Amino acid sequence: MACTLCLVLAGGALLALLLQLLRWLRADGDLTLLWAEWRGKKPENELRGKVVWVTGASSGIGEELTYQLAKIGALLAISARREDELERVKKKCLEISSLSEKDILVLRLDLTDRSSHEAATNSVLKHFGKIDVLVNNGGRSQRSLFVDTNLDVYNAIIELNYLGTISLTKYVLNHMIQRKRGKIVTVSSVMGIMGAPLATGYCASKHALQGFFNSLRTELTDYPEISIINICPGPVQSKIIQNVFTENLAKSLENSGDQSHKMPTDRCARLTLVSTANDLKEAWISDHPYLAVCYLWQYAPTWAWWLMNRMGKRRIQNFKSGVDADASYTRKNK
């Protein structure tokens, strides 16, 4: 009898393990995130009526986040350098939601102009009276080898992706500390967890963001209702690749390649909102193999280095041949 019970328990445990493995193989996010999506708080309940400030809102992930937030019923401040594109995004938000003109504030913002960040924060506060959620989404990626790249490119990457982000955060955080509540969501990258060729400066800026916000979280233990949330997407279908830094500041990427094999932008945005609603400290949003590398980097770094060396060599070959760097090993290749 006892042996039979042990066999049943062992069989049940093995089945549960196999189901988890199957779930992981099909996953497009870390298992904590996917559990939150299934059983956790819903963005529709948590973010409706909240004031959400999204930077980098004129394209890509930021634009899609803005549309999904509008449908939910969040009040929006949207920022980027291109005001005309922000007006286009606002117009679509009004078309697809029940929001009114006053519910969406268009605010031109250059993250590299740190002297303007206090005034920008005050503009949002004057319009809405509060900021519930700041989404740090503004930034640029990189496609160039270190040996070919001018150092002023690295200065520009850090100035935009890192210093610009923490500068704006500083002013918004002061407001959240006064209210003793708020959410700071930073769109980092899986490149903030691992390292990869063609993106040495970009990886450095995202590692800097990860280190900064993980440290900042420990400084805010007296404010349990202020959440620091790091979002780490892998390759996503967005226009970020069309605006990357290259070997020098005057040069643009000649061929961005086909992006259809990457995660759809709307899926990435949805999982970002799930992470925000559930106050997840860190979320990995990616298809394999990058999702697998995140787990390896966390639990078996030696294997991760081996795998990234193999993936990195292919990435450089792709780049030099004029196709998307991640094209040949992404799960959804067509």
Side-chain angles (χ1 to χ4, degrees), residues 228-243:
I228 303 295
I229 301 164
N230 294 336
I231 305 297
C232 302
V236 174
Q237 295 173 14
S238 74
K239 294 181 180 180
I240 189 172
I241 197 67
Q242 300 174 10
N243 192 38

Side-chain angles (χ1 to χ4, degrees), residues 4-25:
T4 302
L5 180 59
C6 288
L7 287 173
V8 170
L9 291 175
L14 181 60
L15 178 61
L17 183 62
L18 289 173
L19 288 174
Q20 281 291 86
L21 178 60
L22 179 61
R23 185 179 174 212
W24 181 77
L25 290 172

Side-chain angles (χ1 to χ4, degrees), residues 57-60 63 67 78 82-95 106 239:
S58 62
S59 64
E63 180 179 354
Y67 296 148
I78 55 175
R82 299 174 296 172
E83 192 168 355
D84 58 333
E85 287 297 297
L86 291 174
E87 291 292 350
R88 175 187 60 81
V89 172
K90 177 178 179 177
K91 180 180 179 181
K92 182 171 179 180
C93 286
L94 293 173
E95 292 172 353
V106 168
K239 294 181 180 180

Side-chain angles (χ1 to χ4, degrees), residues 3 5 22 31 70 75 91 119 137 170-171 191 260 297:
C3 290
L5 180 59
L22 179 61
L31 295 182
L75 308 179
K91 180 180 179 181
N137 176 70
K170 187 175 182 65
Y171 293 108
M191 296 300 180
S260 63
W297 215 275

Side-chain angles (χ1 to χ4, degrees), residues 243-279:
N243 192 38
V244 296
F245 287 101
T246 60
E247 300 97 299
N248 61 71
L249 294 175
K251 183 179 178 181
S252 59
L253 190 66
E254 295 178 358
N255 182 11
S256 60
D258 179 31
Q259 304 293 304
S260 63
H261 54 276
K262 298 181 178 181
M263 176 182 284
T265 314
D266 59 347
R267 176 60 176 164
C268 179
R270 177 62 186 180
L271 290 178
T272 297
L273 295 183
V274 169
S275 304
T276 302
N278 288 276
D279 295 313

Side-chain angles (χ1 to χ4, degrees), residues 50-57 62 65-66 69 74-80 86 105-111 116-125 128 130-137 168-169 171-173 175-176 183-185:
K50 301 294 186 183
V51 176
V52 183
W53 187 3
V54 182
T55 67
L65 279 171
T66 300
L69 285 164
L75 308 179
L76 293 167
I78 55 175
S79 291
L86 291 174
L105 173 66
V106 168
L107 183 63
R108 186 186 180 278
L109 180 72
D110 184 349
L111 283 175
S116 70
H117 294 176
E118 182 176 16
T121 304
N122 290 336
S123 295
V124 178
L125 292 175
F128 290 112
K130 63 176 182 175
I131 300 171
D132 294 301
V133 183
L134 170 66
V135 181
N136 287 315
N137 176 70
L168 186 63
T169 296
Y171 293 108
V172 175
L173 181 60
H175 165 70
M176 290 182 175
K183 301 175 189 283
I184 296 176
V185 182

